[in-house]
Amino acid sequence: MKKILTLLLLPLIYTASFAQKSFEGEVIYSIDVQSRIPGLSSEQLSAIIGNTQHYYMKGADYKNDYNGSYLSWELYLSKAKKVFFSKKSEDTIRWANSTIDQDTIYKAELKKNDTTILGYTCDKLTFNCKSGIQVYYFNRQFSVKPSLYTDHKEGNWYAFLKMSGSIALKEIIENKQMIFTITATSVEQKDIDDSIFQLPADKPISELPIRQ
């Protein structure tokens, strides 16, 4: 059985001060990748992943748009409890079960007022995981209700929201394949049209057993 040790020991943070309205809007991130894959340079990996990510969130749903050669977009639909992926190399949309997390968090560390991003003072949350190290920087002005994402355990997303109660303005994901860093270049709270979170009606959909 998985044991998320530190999360059981640490008190819930900021629970009483979460804003009543969850973040709705768009965040644009710059992407930086450092390859650890033999024979694949950081420049080649960057071309695959892209250097810009557009993130849209509304209620319990979100979508990421990428400008690399591999993924077109990634979409989480809370009602389906699935994360959907559209690859540029195929027409079929793939999905993964969001309620299952293949990772394990061994330790969580919080450092308050660690750095400033886009003029916002950010706390730093570090997860030491089976997969590697995950670092998140966040400011509670961009609050998210963790209860909206209880079914999104994949990628440690709910674990992060439960401790931060906010979107991340910067993330550093370090594993055996790469060091993946996204940094917000703009954050805009605005109304997001529901059509952004609709799956294309003219494409087949099938399960992705292992996230790629």
Side-chain angles (χ1 to χ4, degrees):
M1 177 181 288
K2 290 185 177 182
K3 294 183 179 180
I4 304 179
L5 300 177
T6 307
L7 292 180
L8 296 177
L9 297 175
L10 290 175
L12 291 178
I13 301 168
Y14 307 131
T15 301
S17 58
F18 287 153
Q20 290 301 306
K21 181 169 179 168
S22 201
F23 176 82
E24 180 177 348
E26 177 184 6
V27 185
I28 300 176
Y29 295 97
S30 64
I31 301 174
D32 177 77
V33 290
Q34 299 177 42
S35 177
R36 291 177 168 176
I37 303 172
L40 186 66
S41 69
S42 296
E43 291 76 16
Q44 290 171 318
L45 185 58
S46 178
I48 293 170
I49 295 175
N51 58 19
T52 304
Q53 173 182 335
H54 288 253
Y55 178 79
Y56 306 91
M57 174 179 272
K58 182 175 184 178
D61 300 328
Y62 69 74
K63 184 178 183 181
N64 285 308
D65 286 335
Y66 301 96
N67 70 340
S69 64
Y70 182 61
L71 279 181
S72 293
W73 50 260
E74 175 185 47
L75 173 65
Y76 172 67
L77 297 178
S78 57
K79 290 183 178 179
K81 299 181 182 179
K82 296 174 181 177
V83 181
F84 297 86
F85 308 88
S86 177
K87 299 179 184 179
K88 293 186 176 177
S89 61
E90 62 181 28
D91 289 333
T92 300
I93 295 171
R94 307 294 181 178
W95 63 265
N97 186 341
S98 66
T99 66
I100 300 173
D101 193 357
Q102 303 297 330
D103 205 1
T104 303
I105 300 174
Y106 299 121
K107 184 180 180 182
E109 298 180 7
L110 177 71
K111 184 178 179 182
K112 301 185 76 171
N113 303 322
D114 180 79
T115 192
T116 300
I117 300 172
L118 293 177
Y120 300 100
T121 301
C122 295
D123 295 346
K124 176 183 179 182
L125 178 61
T126 303
F127 287 160
N128 286 279
C129 313
K130 180 175 68 174
S131 64
I133 298 174
Q134 300 175 1
V135 183
Y136 304 88
Y137 299 86
F138 60 93
N139 181 289
R140 287 188 298 117
Q141 177 169 328
F142 306 107
S143 299
V144 175
K145 294 180 181 179
S147 60
L148 295 174
Y149 289 90
T150 54
D151 291 319
H152 194 326
K153 297 178 175 61
E154 192 267 347
N156 298 321
W157 181 238
Y158 176 61
F160 162 68
L161 289 180
K162 192 164 60 171
M163 296 193 69
S164 68
S166 172
I167 62 170
L169 295 184
K170 182 176 181 178
E171 299 179 22
I172 304 172
I173 308 299
E174 183 175 349
N175 54 41
K176 293 180 180 179
Q177 289 75 40
M178 71 183 81
I179 301 176
F180 176 84
T181 304
I182 60 172
T183 306
T185 57
S186 71
V187 183
E188 184 178 1
Q189 299 193 68
K190 62 181 181 179
D191 294 336
I192 301 296
D193 194 281
D194 291 337
S195 62
I196 288 181
F197 308 104
Q198 292 179 356
L199 289 167
D202 59 344
K203 292 190 176 182
I205 300 174
S206 68
E207 182 177 4
L208 178 68
I210 299 177
R211 183 166 181 173
Q212 299 175 353

